């Protein structure tokens, strides 16, 4: 079922009848991390990572926003990157010398690099430094479940992209966007159990029960990593996330 973007300010303005997540209405067992223990899941239990990646659930995106944005050509780069961006003809005219090699790992602006090489700064290509961080809430009215996720174009301080315009740089940067950071869960359904499974847990208790609440609950780091890994693995089958993010970037 296609997921639609929502302009709602509150995903839970009405009370809804809960419905089981796909593949969660039969009792089953999941292997624990060491394969020596078993996790028993009760009937009709919602498993968080599976539900979030279930395209049959009518998920909606709410409050997709940008929290931090860096878009500039003014940040310093290692001299190595400045020199590598030169045309071959310019490199031949200004070959590497011991003085230039000594500067390879020194951060500097394009103007400073041009001065060291002995050329005009217009001969150096200045990349766009792009770092955009945002968040969104994905929610299902039927499950009375909302999850706040965070996204970015890169895990580095910035992503360096060589394009003519900032608009082109953003498009290029978000070809490989990713989920990261903390996850918060808002669950208002006290009729169905909601759990998260830490499949890499070394303990005998990899199961986390998320109780119904009127407030967001922070998902512990091991479970957050598991949910993000599942989202990333299935991201191509969940186009509503990318649609919402790209619309926000425009």
């Amino acid at each position: 079922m296609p997921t639609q973007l929502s302009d709602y300010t509150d995903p839970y303005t009405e009370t809804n009848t809960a419905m089981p997540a796909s593949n969660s209405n039969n009792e089953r067992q999941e292997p624990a991390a060491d394969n020596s223990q078993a996790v028993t899941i009760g009937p009709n239990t919602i498993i968080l990572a599976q539900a979030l990646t279930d395209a049959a659930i009518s998920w909606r995106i709410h409050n997709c926003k940008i929290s931090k944005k860096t878009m500039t050509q003014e940040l310093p780069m290692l001299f190595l990157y400045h020199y590598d961006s030169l045309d071959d003809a310019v490199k031949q005219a200004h070959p590497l010398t011991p003085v230039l090699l000594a500067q390879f790992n020194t951060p500097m602006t394009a103007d400073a690099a041009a001065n060291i090489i002995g050329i005009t700064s217009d001969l150096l290509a200045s990349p766009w430094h792009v770092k955009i961080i945002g968040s969104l809430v994905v929610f299902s009215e039927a499950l009375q479940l909302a999850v706040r996720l965070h996204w970015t174009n890169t895990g580095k301080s910035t992503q360096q992209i060589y394009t003519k315009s900032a608009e082109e740089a953003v498009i290029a940067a978000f070809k490989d966007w990713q989920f990261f950071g903390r996850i918060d869960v808002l669950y208002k359904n006290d009729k169905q159990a909601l759990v998260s499974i830490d499949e890499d847990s070394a303990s005998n208790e990899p199961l986390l029960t998320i109780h119904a609440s009127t407030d967001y609950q922070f998902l512990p780091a091991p479970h957050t990593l598991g949910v993000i890994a599942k989202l990333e693995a299935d991201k191509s089958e969940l186009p509503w996330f990318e649609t919402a993010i790209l619309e926000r970037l425009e």
Side-chain angles (χ1 to χ4, degrees):
M1 181 180 297
T3 300
Q4 300 174 350
L5 298 182
S6 173
D7 294 326
Y8 296 166
T9 56
D10 183 352
Y12 300 124
T13 55
E14 297 181 2
T15 301
N16 296 278
T17 302
M19 59 183 290
S22 178
N23 298 324
S24 64
N25 57 351
N26 293 314
E27 185 169 358
R28 58 196 180 280
Q29 289 189 334
E30 298 287 345
D34 61 2
N35 294 323
S36 62
Q37 300 290 333
V39 178
T40 301
I41 307 298
N44 297 325
T45 297
I46 302 170
I47 300 175
L48 182 61
Q50 291 184 9
L52 280 174
T53 54
D54 188 342
I57 297 175
S58 184
W59 290 109
R60 288 189 171 189
I61 303 295
H62 161 72
N63 199 26
C64 183
K65 62 183 180 181
I66 295 172
S67 57
K68 183 179 180 180
K69 182 176 182 179
T70 299
M71 176 66 65
T72 180
Q73 290 180 297
E74 303 302 322
L75 291 180
M77 293 194 307
L78 298 183
F79 177 79
L80 165 65
Y81 298 139
H82 288 297
Y83 188 86
D84 279 349
S85 72
L86 292 171
D87 290 337
D88 289 341
V90 179
K91 288 180 180 178
Q92 291 177 4
H94 299 272
L96 290 173
T97 63
V99 173
L100 296 183
L101 286 170
Q103 299 290 334
F104 255 34
N105 292 318
T106 303
M108 63 184 67
T109 64
D111 287 342
N115 185 57
I116 292 174
I117 298 170
I119 59 176
T120 58
S121 58
D122 62 300
L123 294 177
L124 280 172
S126 295
W128 290 96
H129 296 263
V130 183
K131 175 79 170 187
I132 302 176
I133 296 173
S135 63
L136 59 80
V137 174
V138 58
F139 73 95
S140 165
E141 293 185 7
L143 298 181
Q144 299 184 56
L145 170 64
V147 181
R148 184 189 294 124
L149 303 166
H150 295 82
W151 47 267
T152 186
N153 61 298
T154 179
K156 300 179 181 179
S157 57
T158 63
Q159 184 177 358
Q160 299 162 10
I161 300 175
Y162 289 87
T163 60
K164 292 183 178 180
S165 70
E167 291 77 12
E168 292 173 328
V170 169
I171 292 172
F174 275 84
K175 287 182 178 179
D176 295 308
W177 66 273
Q178 57 198 261
F179 289 109
F180 84 107
R182 65 179 290 159
I183 292 178
D184 300 288
V185 180
L186 177 60
Y187 189 53
K188 293 189 174 183
N189 179 7
D190 58 4
K191 301 298 190 295
Q192 281 181 281
L194 173 65
V195 301
S196 175
I197 302 174
D198 176 12
E199 296 183 353
D200 295 324
S201 174
S203 73
N204 294 333
E205 298 182 357
L207 196 69
L208 173 69
T209 299
I210 302 169
H211 299 286
S213 173
T214 57
D215 298 316
Y216 275 99
Q217 302 175 64
F218 171 67
L219 196 66
H223 291 269
T224 292
L225 292 174
V227 171
I228 288 177
K230 178 66 171 170
L231 285 167
E232 288 292 325
D234 294 5
K235 196 161 59 177
S236 62
E237 306 299 323
L238 313 170
W240 44 89
F241 289 114
E242 183 164 308
T243 297
I245 292 170
L246 294 182
E247 285 183 358
R248 179 57 60 194
L249 293 173
E250 290 179 353

